[in-house]
Amino acid sequence: DAGVIQSPRHEVTEMGQEVTLRCKPISGHNSLFWYRQTMMRGLELLIYFNNNVPIDDSGMPEDRFSAKMPNASFSTLKIQPSEPRDSAVYFCASSSQGAGGRETQYFGPGTRLLVL
Amino acid sequence: RKEVEQDPGPFNVPEGATVAFNCTYSNSASQSFFWYRQDCRKEPKLLMSVYSSGNEDGRFTAQLNRASQYISLLIRDSKLSDSATYLCVVTGNQGGKLIFGQGTELSVKP
């Protein structure tokens, strides 16, 4: 079975450019999470969706970041304009979330973003 | 204070050693607890959930102390393949949100 799919796997861009990261969750999962990982700050939750609705976006750093989930099988994380401090690994994860939050989150392979 | 705190390590141990990782969390309302494993340049993967009564999975034993807000992971008879970063994870106030510790790096040497 396919796991969480992310694209691109690597992205190198110049400061000021728009960056769009894509995620396809595991089929049947109803929750989707976007994380960012850096050496300094570790793994941080940016935003998560339940049944395509954003539930908690308190981790989104600023207005330059936006996320959408137009349907159950696709989500995007957009950075516009990008800055060098956005360089990180961005992970998408999905789970079949019920009450209680014990359901396992499955992570995609990540997108390594470098903003020059 | 960070919501989840771990000793970053690295822990360098010989094969066959027993190694213990500790973790503390600040939110007394957290309901679910996990250990995830992350290999170098890979994504995190669930290693095991942590239950109040303690639980064991082969060479791995996890313990939870709610009163002290403390979680532990014990690895017995460590293998070279255990080399990875171990992430302590707790749920936030909203059930689906996971809070990750910074991770503890383990390096098992021959």
Side-chain angles (χ1 to χ4, degrees):
Chain A
D1 287 341
V4 175
I5 298 172
Q6 291 187 246
S7 65
R9 295 291 303 276
H10 299 86
E11 177 83 22
V12 181
T13 190
E14 292 186 344
M15 183 173 63
Q17 297 297 307
E18 178 179 294
V19 175
T20 300
L21 311 181
R22 298 173 176 79
C23 176
K24 178 178 169 53
I26 293 172
S27 178
H29 282 187
N30 63 345
S31 291
L32 182 140
F33 307 80
W34 281 103
Y35 292 90
R36 177 173 68 176
Q37 187 172 38
T38 61
M39 288 292 292
M40 290 296 294
R41 300 175 65 90
L43 198 60
E44 301 174 288
L45 178 67
L46 299 177
I47 184 171
Y48 84 91
F49 296 84
N50 186 257
N51 294 322
N52 311 339
V53 176
I55 302 300
D56 183 348
D57 65 353
S58 59
M60 295 287 264
E62 49 199 90
D63 292 345
R64 298 184 298 106
F65 285 69
S66 62
K68 293 182 180 179
M69 192 164 185
N71 57 62
S73 59
F74 183 66
S75 177
T76 60
L77 177 68
K78 186 174 292 187
I79 308 172
Q80 167 63 20
S82 58
E83 297 182 2
R85 60 191 168 124
D86 302 330
S87 299
V89 181
Y90 291 81
F91 288 105
C92 176
S94 71
S95 72
S96 54
Q97 204 73 43
R102 289 207 73 89
E103 289 75 9
T104 301
Q105 289 188 20
Y106 295 86
F107 282 73
T111 294
R112 297 183 180 279
L113 173 65
L114 177 62
V115 183
L116 301 174
Chain B
R1 183 187 171 192
K2 292 180 181 176
E3 291 187 75
V4 179
E5 297 212 48
Q6 297 181 248
D7 181 343
F11 283 47
N12 296 305
V13 303
E15 269 186 295
T18 295
V19 60
F21 302 138
N22 303 317
C23 168
T24 57
Y25 61 96
S26 61
N27 185 356
S28 60
S30 294
Q31 293 295 317
S32 300
F33 309 90
F34 311 90
W35 284 100
Y36 273 68
R37 169 189 169 136
Q38 186 173 22
D39 292 287
C40 185
R41 299 183 70 81
K42 298 285 189 180
E43 70 273 21
K45 293 183 180 179
L46 178 68
L47 177 67
M48 58 196 302
S49 298
V50 186
Y51 301 103
S52 296
S53 55
N55 48 298
E56 189 173 306
D57 183 2
R59 299 181 292 109
F60 298 82
T61 300
Q63 297 279 353
L64 168 64
N65 184 322
R66 284 186 183 270
S68 302
Q69 295 178 204
Y70 170 90
I71 305 163
S72 67
L73 177 68
L74 185 76
I75 305 175
R76 293 181 299 278
D77 188 24
S78 53
K79 312 291 185 190
L80 297 176
S81 58
D82 293 334
S83 297
T85 295
Y86 291 83
L87 301 160
C88 177
V89 187
V90 307
T91 51
N93 289 328
Q94 292 179 306
K97 182 174 180 177
L98 297 182
I99 312 297
F100 283 77
Q102 286 279 84
T104 298
E105 184 183 345
L106 172 66
S107 179
V108 182
K109 306 291 187 184

